[in-house]
Amino acid sequence: MTNLSTPYYLIDEKKLLKNLKIISHIRETSGAKSVLALKCFSTWCVFPLMQKYMDGTTSSSLFEARLGHEKFGKETHAFSVGYSRKDIIELAKFADKVIFNSVSQLNMFHKDVKGLKLGIRVNPGISYSHFDLANPARKYSRLGVIDKKEIEKIAPLVSGLMFHFNCENDDFANLAKSLDYIGEKYGSLLKKMEWISLGGGLFFTKGGYLVREFCAKLKDFAGKYGVQIYLEPGEAAITQCTELVTTVLDVVHNKMDIAIVDASIEPHMLDLLIYRQNAKIASPKSGPHKFIIAGCSCLAGDVFGTYGLKKKLKPGDEVRIADAAGYTMVKKNWFNGIQMPSIVVRRLDGKVEKIRKFTYEDFKYNLS
Ligand SMILES: *Cc1c(COP(=O)(O)O)cnc(C)c1O
């Protein structure tokens, strides 16, 4: 891959396909449909591949819903924590389902979206998350309706319920328990519905996940309550398919060897900073040479992590940061005016396509 200049995000369709095949297997085996959560990944140059294996998209805003409709097609689910009337009027032109976050929003707008399938988000009061920041059942959570009686009252206005209560849950036994709890608590309501969404945050594409048991559980639940189940995978759909490819610009020393690359954690892999996690390095491979790999912004804590590497890094060397798709490309920004990484795709047939390069003009017109 000569003539590609770093930094760039490299999406590998073959790796993406591995996840997509698991998703379509779950669809065939359990009957549960999957819609891609665009807030995690909206890089639409690979949607032609993804749409063959998934049923559509779900969104967090009007713009995401519109992108899903324009670029992915199939089913367009629209959710937002807060709609304006303007949003709703736009959405009514292309969304299949509109899911409200509260009873007040449903009451305000259901007449404007007559004819579409409507749903409401439920806060079941349980969750699985390693981070309070991403925990939908956290104290004072505004996500979803808590009071079951309120939901019962508006039930005739909706055909479905959305339960999004997981974050990176790779523990099937935990999920099974939660589903039993939801069945017990909301069973009579579920029976009045056509569909339910179990949201995202289920890590069923991770190696070792009990996919067979998962499918059986979903099928059983759907049968018991007579509902079409939707899953809303974000991270699970795109995990491990993308690298951020960078070049070492300099090596400095302060008690440790520090390699500075032509990318930065705050503008290019912001989620790591928010959740205080280290990046995983895809290359060079691990070995005895200890290096801090750091970014080129002025932020003192612009550090990807500390690694033992197979080779000593020097200016000009390539460093590849693993798992750079989810909650990463959607959050890239122009902090420090650093060159935004290009978007490159390795197609299924091995051909490498440069999709998008960002220029000084993009930076300039982002702000005025
Ligand atoms: C964030 C979110 C998702 C996707 O979550 P992942 O953890 O990326 O699978 C799905 N549905 C809703 C409502 C969400 O807020």
Side-chain angles (χ1 to χ4, degrees), residues 37 39-40 58 60 79 121 162 164 166-168 199-202 232-236 327:
K39 79 158 191 277
C40 172
T58 189
S60 313
F79 168 75
R121 179 167 180 174
M162 193 251 271
H164 171 69
N166 289 283
C167 180
E168 301 201 356
L202 301 175
E232 302 179 351
E235 189 63 48
Y327 300 99

Side-chain angles (χ1 to χ4, degrees), residues 94-106:
F94 54 78
D96 304 287
K97 285 196 179 68
V98 180
I99 303 166
F100 293 98
N101 184 56
S102 70
V103 169
S104 48
Q105 284 252 309
L106 175 76

Side-chain angles (χ1 to χ4, degrees), residues 81-98:
V81 173
Y83 288 117
S84 67
R85 171 150 276 118
K86 215 168 117 220
D87 291 343
I88 288 287
I89 288 165
E90 272 301 298
L91 270 181
K93 296 178 192 161
F94 54 78
D96 304 287
K97 285 196 179 68
V98 180

Side-chain angles (χ1 to χ4, degrees), residues 29-321:
T29 315
S30 73
K33 296 184 181 182
S34 278
V35 288
L36 175 66
L38 292 173
K39 79 158 191 277
C40 172
F41 183 78
S42 295
T43 312
W44 45 269
C45 57
V46 291
F47 284 2
L49 176 65
M50 299 183 86
Q51 74 192 167
K52 290 186 197 154
Y53 296 86
M54 300 183 74
D55 292 282
T57 54
T58 189
S59 52
S60 313
S61 64
L62 172 65
F63 282 179
E64 280 190 358
R66 180 173 164 185
L67 185 78
H69 172 69
E70 284 179 8
K71 291 294 180 188
F72 203 106
K74 304 179 92 171
E75 295 187 41
T76 302
H77 291 198
F79 168 75
S80 169
V81 173
Y83 288 117
S84 67
R85 171 150 276 118
K86 215 168 117 220
D87 291 343
I88 288 287
I89 288 165
E90 272 301 298
L91 270 181
K93 296 178 192 161
F94 54 78
D96 304 287
K97 285 196 179 68
V98 180
I99 303 166
F100 293 98
N101 184 56
S102 70
V103 169
S104 48
Q105 284 252 309
L106 175 76
N107 284 333
M108 267 188 264
F109 298 130
H110 71 89
K111 287 196 186 111
D112 299 306
V113 278
K114 261 216 168 83
L116 302 184
K117 286 189 190 295
L118 305 187
I120 193 144
R121 179 167 180 174
V122 182
N123 180 342
I126 52 167
S127 60
Y128 181 103
S129 175
H130 299 291
F131 304 96
D132 185 57
L133 185 63
N135 181 358
R138 78 208 289 254
K139 199 173 177 189
Y140 307 125
S141 174
R142 72 202 189 297
L143 302 173
V145 184
I146 294 177
D147 184 354
K148 200 173 111 187
K149 288 205 189 79
E150 265 195 86
I151 306 167
E152 280 162 351
K153 261 192 251 161
I154 55 80
L157 292 176
V158 300
S159 59
L161 302 177
M162 193 251 271
F163 298 86
H164 171 69
F165 59 103
N166 289 283
C167 180
E168 301 201 356
N169 186 351
D170 57 2
D171 177 355
F172 169 71
N174 170 279
L175 175 72
K177 241 178 43 203
S178 300
L179 281 182
D180 290 342
Y181 174 79
I182 286 174
E184 275 165 38
K185 184 166 172 188
Y186 300 99
S188 57
L189 259 173
L190 295 175
K191 284 187 180 156
K192 293 182 193 157
M193 298 294 148
E194 282 170 32
W195 55 273
I196 66 158
S197 167
L198 294 178
L202 301 175
F203 233 155
F204 50 75
T205 51
K206 194 171 168 180
Y209 194 83
L210 301 178
V211 173
R212 186 151 30 114
E213 289 81 351
F214 179 55
C215 290
K217 186 79 191 170
L218 294 176
K219 194 170 176 187
D220 181 58
F221 193 93
K224 192 165 172 188
Y225 299 105
V227 287
Q228 169 66 52
I229 293 183
Y230 285 91
L231 304 170
E232 302 179 351
E235 189 63 48
I238 48 72
T239 189
Q240 304 292 339
C241 79
T242 298
E243 292 172 351
L244 174 59
V245 183
T246 70
T247 301
V248 176
L249 299 173
D250 194 11
V251 175
V252 296
H253 192 87
N254 178 3
K255 298 194 176 78
M256 293 266 301
D257 289 319
I258 305 162
I260 296 169
V261 298
D262 60 355
S264 165
I265 193 158
E266 184 155 1
H268 307 148
M269 293 203 72
L270 183 58
D271 227 38
L272 296 175
L273 196 61
I274 293 174
Y275 291 98
R276 295 165 190 273
Q277 291 173 315
N278 288 326
K280 286 165 264 169
I281 299 296
S283 141
K285 294 287 173 227
S286 51
H289 303 289
K290 209 165 175 194
F291 270 84
I292 291 175
I293 294 176
C296 61
S297 79
C298 67
L299 180 74
D302 185 0
V303 170
F304 289 95
T306 303
Y307 308 91
L309 302 174
K310 200 167 141 187
K311 58 181 280 191
K312 276 191 144 169
L313 291 174
K314 56 178 191 326
D317 285 347
E318 188 182 88
V319 170
R320 293 177 172 235
I321 295 157

